[in-house]
Amino acid sequence: RGRAAVSDGRATTRRAEAEVFAAVRAAALGDDASDTNGAAAAGRGSAESQSHARGGALEEAARLVSEDLILLRQEGDDAAVLCAATVCFSFGQLPRKLGQPVAAIHAPVPGFATSLRRPLDRIFARLRPDKGHWRANFEFRWSGDLLHPSLGGGGAAASSLDDAKGELGAAPATHPNGEAPSMRDAWLRAEYQTLRRLPESGHILFTVDTYTDPLAAVLRHAPAASALLSRVKALSEPFAAYKGLAPDQRAELVALLREAAA
């Protein structure tokens, strides 16, 4: 599968990557996680020996799980910045995001500065190794491709993440059968995200597990349609557009979900 990876190469970042590798290996392969120090030390050695051939400890960890893995460095009261990542599904333009504060990365999100930044800051302040945070996110696309658009099509992984690829695509001009496109043909893309502070390095591990299903599948399940209907109705106009819904598409989707939920 296509994969994009970046790292700032700092010694502290490499140690945090090795810490992630040790923890993921212990969970995925059933290593004895009770010996935390031993597992971490073994992970460091394994990561160092393999990074020359396969691209680094974080990439090695990502090969063992389905999630995209992102490392954030936060020192004292400073803003958390992206210091390493390996992604296939969740977002593109990765080189541009390296070294950027979380607030800058989320700047395109409608209402982030006014409504979302402070809650996120509070979440980061409360993160501990034994107390993480999770949330779900969703958007709509006209393709069921799981691979992020900036990593697929016309060259797949060779596509550059420095260009404008990877944003939500416009609806096709016509349906394959010649009719106008309908929201029934859209795909629901869901992300399950977690945040946890690493016990040794203090870095923050952000994971994103991505799924995609045809909206038609949701419409066949009344409880799922009802839950999605509540979320879609609660979106502001700018946020709906950010999630891939033009006003007329949102109206059509609400009607479809209301009928399916009845």
Side-chain angles (χ1 to χ4, degrees):
R1 64 186 183 181
R3 184 186 301 278
V6 294
S7 174
D8 62 17
R10 294 189 182 189
T12 54
T13 300
R14 291 197 298 270
R15 287 194 293 270
E17 291 187 51
E19 186 178 0
V20 172
F21 175 80
V24 168
R25 186 191 61 179
L29 302 183
D31 290 2
D32 183 5
S34 62
D35 182 6
T36 304
N37 293 331
R44 290 190 192 99
S46 177
E48 289 169 359
S49 65
Q50 296 179 34
S51 63
H52 300 290
R54 302 185 66 178
L58 199 64
E59 286 188 81
E60 285 298 300
R63 295 178 192 279
L64 300 176
V65 293
S66 60
E67 291 89 347
D68 287 346
L69 303 178
I70 300 94
L71 268 176
L72 306 173
R73 181 179 63 254
Q74 187 177 35
E75 299 173 337
D77 295 329
D78 292 346
V81 301
L82 192 154
C83 62
T86 176
V87 304
C88 293
F89 314 117
S90 52
F91 56 85
Q93 301 174 12
L94 201 53
R96 293 182 181 178
K97 295 178 171 69
L98 182 64
Q100 292 294 308
V102 170
I105 294 172
H106 284 84
V109 178
F112 177 80
T114 56
S115 304
L116 302 176
R117 181 170 181 173
R118 284 190 177 181
L120 185 60
D121 288 343
R122 288 196 293 269
I123 289 170
F124 279 15
R126 292 196 298 264
L127 287 176
R128 303 195 306 266
D130 62 341
K131 184 177 178 61
H133 177 82
W134 78 273
R135 68 184 292 270
N137 192 22
F138 72 97
E139 64 185 21
F140 296 93
R141 291 190 178 172
W142 291 99
S143 168
D145 292 341
L146 191 59
L147 195 68
H148 192 273
S150 61
L151 287 172
S159 297
S160 172
L161 293 182
D162 284 325
D163 57 24
K165 298 178 182 178
E167 303 304 322
L168 293 176
T174 60
H175 189 273
N177 63 12
E179 298 176 357
S182 164
M183 285 304 296
R184 291 182 182 274
D185 305 311
W187 289 72
L188 174 66
R189 187 177 178 94
E191 294 179 348
Y192 296 91
Q193 305 172 352
T194 72
L195 287 162
R196 186 173 298 274
R197 194 173 295 278
L198 299 175
E200 294 184 24
S201 64
H203 284 53
I204 296 170
L205 176 63
F206 175 41
T207 73
V208 186
D209 209 2
T210 306
Y211 299 83
T212 184
D213 284 293
L215 184 61
V218 178
L219 297 176
R220 291 194 295 268
H221 189 62
S226 178
L228 184 57
L229 175 63
S230 297
R231 296 288 299 273
V232 171
K233 289 171 63 178
L235 296 173
S236 66
E237 292 260 338
F239 225 105
Y242 181 75
K243 291 183 178 292
L245 291 173
D248 58 331
Q249 294 165 347
R250 183 184 187 182
E252 180 188 1
L253 177 60
V254 167
L256 290 171
L257 292 171
R258 184 176 288 127
E259 179 183 0

